[in-house]
Amino acid sequence: MWEFLSDVIRKTLTGFGERMAAFGPNILAMIVILLAGILIAGALHFVLKRLLPRLGFDRFAQRLGLSLILQKGGVRRPGSAALAAVLSWGLLAVFVLLAIGALNLQFAMDLVSATLSYLPQVFIAGALLLLGALVSAFLRRSVLIAAVNAGLPSARLLAGGIHTALMVLFAAMALEHLGVGRQVILVSFTILFGGVVFALSLAFGLAGRELAREFLGRLVRGPDGEEKRDELRHI
Amino acid sequence: MGPADVLIGIPSFNNARTIGHVVRAAAAGLAKHFPGARSIIVNSDGGSKDGTADAVAAAEFQPATILVSHPLSPAHKIVTPYDGIPGKGSAFRTIFGIAQRLGVKACAVVDADLRSITPEWIELLVGPVLERGFDFVAPLYLRHKYDGTITNSIVYPLTRALYGKEVRQPIGGDFGFSGRLASHYLTKPVWESNVARFGIDIWMTSTALADGFRVCQAFLGAKIHDAKDPGADLAAMFAQVVSSVFDLMSVYRDRWKAVESAEDVPLFGFPHGVGLEPVRVNVERMHAIFRQGSRDLAEIWQKALQEDTLRDVVSIATAEARPLHFPDSLWVRVVYDFAAAYQRRALPGDQLLGSMVPLYLGRTASFVLQTADSGPEEVEAIVKGLAEEFLRQKGYLLRVWGQGPGGA
C-alpha cells in the first residue's frame, strides 16, 4: 500500500518536475519580455517627455485645441506628457501581450490573437474620437465667434449644441466601428437626433414664428432696420 | 510699343459704370500736367463681364475740356486681363510688369470705382515722383470723422509706430510710385500669397517704408467711390486688413524693432476742408457686441491677451457706468497682444482676428462717444494721440513679441 502511494507521489512529482522543466523557459521568457517591456516603455516615456516639448508639441496641441480637451477631461498635465504616457502605456500593453504569448498556452495564444486582430479597430475608433474632438472644438470656436460678431444672444448655446452634436456623431461612429451594440447605437442615435430636430422644429414653429418671418423677410429683402442705418465705413 | 515716361494703372473688375470717368480724368491729367511725357494708361482687368473693357475703349478724352496752351498728344491705352490669383494684387503685378518693360519713370494706380477723381490727382500722384525724386506717394484724403475706423485705430498708428513715418492713409488704394520701386516690388516673392488677393495696399506702403524708399503724401481731397459691397461681412474684412498688417510685421521685424520715433513726410497738395455728409452709427449695437464678447469669448481672448490686459478689457466691457470708455493705452496693448498672438499662431488666423472684432467694436463705440461733439481738427488730434501711444508702448510690443500670454 505504502509502496503504491509512494509510487503515485513520485510519478506525480516527476511529472510536475518534467512539466515545470518544459514550461520553465516559457515563464522565464515571459518575465524577461515583461522586464524588457517595462524598461523600454519607461525609456520611451522618459525620452518623449523631454523631446516633445522641445519640438513644440505643446504649442501645437494648444493650437489644435487638444490641451483644452484634455483640461476638460480632467487631465491637468501638458499635452506632451499625456502623449508620452499614452504611447509608453500602449507599448507596455504590447509587451504584456507578447509575454502572455510566450507561455505558449492555447488560451493565451487565442487571447493574443483576438487582441491583435481587434487592435486596428481600437486604433481607428480612437482616431475617430480624436478627429471628432478636434473638428468639434474648431467648429465650436468658429460658430461662437461668428455668433458673437452677429450679435446673437445665445451664441454659447448654439456653439455648445454644435459641439455636442458633433461629438455624439463621432462617438457613435467610433462605437459602430468597435462593433459595440451596433443596432442599439444606431437606433439610439436615430431617435436622439430625430427627437432633437423635431423638438427644435416645434420650438421654432411655436415660439419663433415672428423670428422666422423676420429672418425669411431679411433673406428676401436684405437687411433693414438698425443694421442698415449703420453707415460706418471701417476702412 | 516703345518706351514710356508715365504710366497710369487702373485695376478693375466689373466697373463699367465708373471706369470711363476714371480713364478720362487720367487722360486729362496726363495731357494737362505732363504734356511732354510719353504716357500710357493700363487697365488690368480681372475678367469683367459687364463691359468694363468696352467702357475703357470708348472713353475718349476731349481736349476741349481743359485749358492748355500746348499741343496735346493723347495717352496710349492698354486693356489687358491679368494672370494669377484673382485679386487687386495680381492686377497690380501686371501693371508693375508693363511699367518695367516700358522703362517708365513714374506710375500711379487709381481705383476703377472712383467718382471724385480729377485730373489734379494725376499731377499730385505722379508729380512728386517725376519732378521731385520721390519713390512712393501715399494718398491723403479728406474723410468724415467716422470713416476709416480700422485705418484710424489700427493700420495708421501701427504702421507709424513700426516704420517711423507719418503716412496717414497706408491703405488708401490710390498711389504714385517710381519705376524703380515698381521693379523692386516685382522682385518680392509674394504673388501667390494674400498680397495678390487683398493685401496689396498695405504691402506696397510697408515695403516702400521698410526698404528705405523716399516717401511722401499727396492731398487728394474727398474720396467718393462706389460702395465696395454693402453686405460684406465686417469680420472677414477686418481679418483681411489686420492679417495683412500683422503678416508684414513678421516679414519686417528686424526693421521695426529699432524704430523709436516717427517723423513727418513731405506733403503735396493743398489741404482744405469741405462739408461731408453725416454718418449714422449704431453705438448701442457695437457696445452690446463688445459686452457679449467679454462674456462669451473670454476663453479665446485668454489665448491672445496678457492677463492684465484681459482683466482690464472685461472690466470696462462689463462696467455699468456710462459712457463706455476704452482708453488708448489699453487699446494699444490689445493690438500688440493680438499681433504677438498672431505671430506665434495661438489660433488659426481667421478665428483669432474674428475674435478681435468685438474688441474693435468696443473701441470704435468708445471713439464715437468721445468725439460725438468734436470737429475734424479735434478728432484728428485724438487719432494722432493714439498714434503717439502706439509709439510710446513700442517697448511693450517688443516684450510680448514671441511670448505666450503671461510671458510663457
Side-chain angles (χ1 to χ4, degrees), chain B residues 216-367:
Chain B
C216 66
Q217 296 186 99
F219 182 79
L220 302 178
K223 178 172 183 171
I224 301 165
H225 58 105
D226 279 3
K228 294 284 182 204
D229 178 4
D233 176 26
L234 168 64
M237 184 171 67
F238 182 87
Q240 284 186 1
V241 173
V242 178
S243 68
S244 302
V245 183
F246 286 176
D247 281 336
L248 285 159
M249 285 178 76
S250 296
V251 174
Y252 288 119
R253 64 179 176 278
D254 293 334
R255 311 277 170 89
W256 59 257
K257 273 184 175 173
V259 174
E260 292 175 345
S261 61
E263 60 182 21
D264 286 345
V265 298
L267 173 64
F268 294 90
F270 182 68
H272 59 274
V274 292
L276 292 166
E277 285 186 18
V279 171
R280 281 189 290 261
V281 185
N282 189 342
V283 176
E284 270 311 307
R285 185 171 182 275
M286 290 194 282
H287 191 177
I289 292 176
F290 175 44
R291 207 182 295 119
Q292 188 183 353
S294 74
R295 200 175 56 237
D296 293 345
L297 299 182
E299 70 183 71
I300 295 173
W301 289 353
Q302 223 169 19
K303 293 175 186 291
L305 297 176
Q306 299 290 318
E307 255 174 54
D308 50 348
T309 312
L310 178 60
R311 191 185 56 236
D312 293 348
V313 162
V314 172
S315 158
I316 61 163
T318 52
E320 291 301 319
R322 296 292 177 93
L324 166 69
H325 178 57
F326 202 130
D328 284 359
S329 56
L330 179 59
W331 174 243
V332 174
R333 277 192 283 142
V334 166
V335 175
Y336 283 165
D337 283 353
F338 267 89
Y342 184 86
Q343 185 263 337
R344 68 170 182 273
R345 298 175 192 278
L347 280 175
D350 281 350
Q351 289 190 343
L352 183 74
L353 298 176
S355 77
M356 195 181 171
V357 170
L359 291 160
Y360 159 72
L361 290 176
R363 163 68 194 180
T364 305
S366 165
F367 174 78

Side-chain angles (χ1 to χ4, degrees), chain A residues 158-190:
Chain A
L158 186 65
I162 283 173
H163 182 258
T164 307
L166 274 171
M167 274 314 292
V168 168
L169 178 68
F170 274 92
M173 283 162 64
L175 287 172
E176 162 80 15
H177 215 85
L178 289 173
V180 179
R182 275 202 174 107
Q183 293 302 319
V184 176
I185 291 166
L186 188 66
V187 171
S188 307
F189 186 76
T190 309

Side-chain angles (χ1 to χ4, degrees), chain A residues 65-195:
Chain A
L66 271 176
S67 305
L68 193 67
I69 294 166
L70 289 175
Q71 280 171 15
K72 284 188 174 172
V75 181
R76 297 285 165 214
R77 57 174 89 180
S80 55
L83 182 65
V86 167
L87 289 179
S88 52
W89 277 107
L91 186 67
L92 187 59
V94 171
F95 272 95
V96 168
L97 283 173
L98 289 174
I100 294 170
L103 290 176
N104 211 14
L105 298 172
Q106 188 55 47
F107 86 89
M109 296 306 289
D110 290 347
L111 177 68
V112 171
S113 165
T115 310
L116 286 178
S117 65
Y118 197 59
L119 265 184
Q121 262 89 307
V122 174
F123 282 130
I124 292 171
L128 275 172
L129 280 178
L130 183 66
L131 183 69
L134 292 175
V135 169
S136 58
F138 182 86
L139 283 179
R140 178 188 173 278
R141 220 164 35 217
S142 292
V143 169
L144 181 63
I145 291 167
V148 169
N149 287 340
L152 294 182
S154 48
R156 286 184 82 88
L157 187 69
L158 186 65
I162 283 173
H163 182 258
T164 307
L166 274 171
M167 274 314 292
V168 168
L169 178 68
F170 274 92
M173 283 162 64
L175 287 172
E176 162 80 15
H177 215 85
L178 289 173
V180 179
R182 275 202 174 107
Q183 293 302 319
V184 176
I185 291 166
L186 188 66
V187 171
S188 307
F189 186 76
T190 309
I191 291 172
L192 182 71
F193 203 73

Side-chain angles (χ1 to χ4, degrees), chain B residues 54-307:
Chain B
D54 297 338
V56 174
E60 288 300 330
F61 164 59
Q62 302 295 325
T65 57
I66 57 170
L67 293 170
V68 287
S69 57
H70 45 71
L72 292 174
S73 53
H76 291 283
K77 282 189 287 194
I78 295 179
V79 181
T80 176
Y82 61 75
D83 294 325
I85 299 167
K88 188 176 174 182
S90 295
F92 275 26
R93 184 191 191 187
T94 298
I95 292 168
F96 298 154
I98 293 172
Q100 189 181 45
R101 275 199 296 279
L102 299 180
V104 301
K105 293 174 188 153
C107 313
V109 282
V110 290
D111 286 340
D113 62 353
L114 285 168
R115 293 188 178 276
S116 58
I117 184 172
T118 64
E120 280 60 48
W121 282 36
I122 303 303
E123 182 201 11
L124 288 163
L125 291 173
V126 173
V129 177
L130 210 55
E131 291 156 7
R132 307 293 288 272
F134 284 94
D135 287 300
F136 185 76
V137 187
L140 182 62
Y141 307 111
L142 188 69
R143 305 187 76 171
H144 188 275
K145 62 183 177 182
Y146 299 149
D147 258 359
T149 38
I150 297 179
T151 299
N152 289 348
S153 59
I154 301 176
V155 183
Y156 155 63
L158 186 54
T159 304
R160 180 179 181 272
L162 291 175
Y163 307 111
K165 300 279 184 190
E166 175 76 34
V167 176
R168 186 64 184 81
Q169 306 280 347
I171 51 174
D174 310 298
F175 302 106
F177 49 92
S178 62
R180 188 170 76 97
L181 183 54
S183 299
H184 181 71
Y185 285 146
L186 285 171
T187 63
K188 302 281 182 179
V190 296
W191 306 108
E192 302 299 323
S193 70
N194 285 339
V195 169
R197 294 184 185 89
F198 48 75
I200 187 73
D201 296 336
I202 187 63
W203 178 82
M204 284 174 69
T205 306
S206 301
T207 302
L209 291 170
D211 289 348
F213 286 88
R214 288 189 70 204
V215 174
C216 66
Q217 296 186 99
F219 182 79
L220 302 178
K223 178 172 183 171
I224 301 165
H225 58 105
D226 279 3
K228 294 284 182 204
D229 178 4
D233 176 26
L234 168 64
M237 184 171 67
F238 182 87
Q240 284 186 1
V241 173
V242 178
S243 68
S244 302
V245 183
F246 286 176
D247 281 336
L248 285 159
M249 285 178 76
S250 296
V251 174
Y252 288 119
R253 64 179 176 278
D254 293 334
R255 311 277 170 89
W256 59 257
K257 273 184 175 173
V259 174
E260 292 175 345
S261 61
E263 60 182 21
D264 286 345
V265 298
L267 173 64
F268 294 90
F270 182 68
H272 59 274
V274 292
L276 292 166
E277 285 186 18
V279 171
R280 281 189 290 261
V281 185
N282 189 342
V283 176
E284 270 311 307
R285 185 171 182 275
M286 290 194 282
H287 191 177
I289 292 176
F290 175 44
R291 207 182 295 119
Q292 188 183 353
S294 74
R295 200 175 56 237
D296 293 345
L297 299 182
E299 70 183 71
I300 295 173
W301 289 353
Q302 223 169 19
K303 293 175 186 291
L305 297 176
Q306 299 290 318
E307 255 174 54

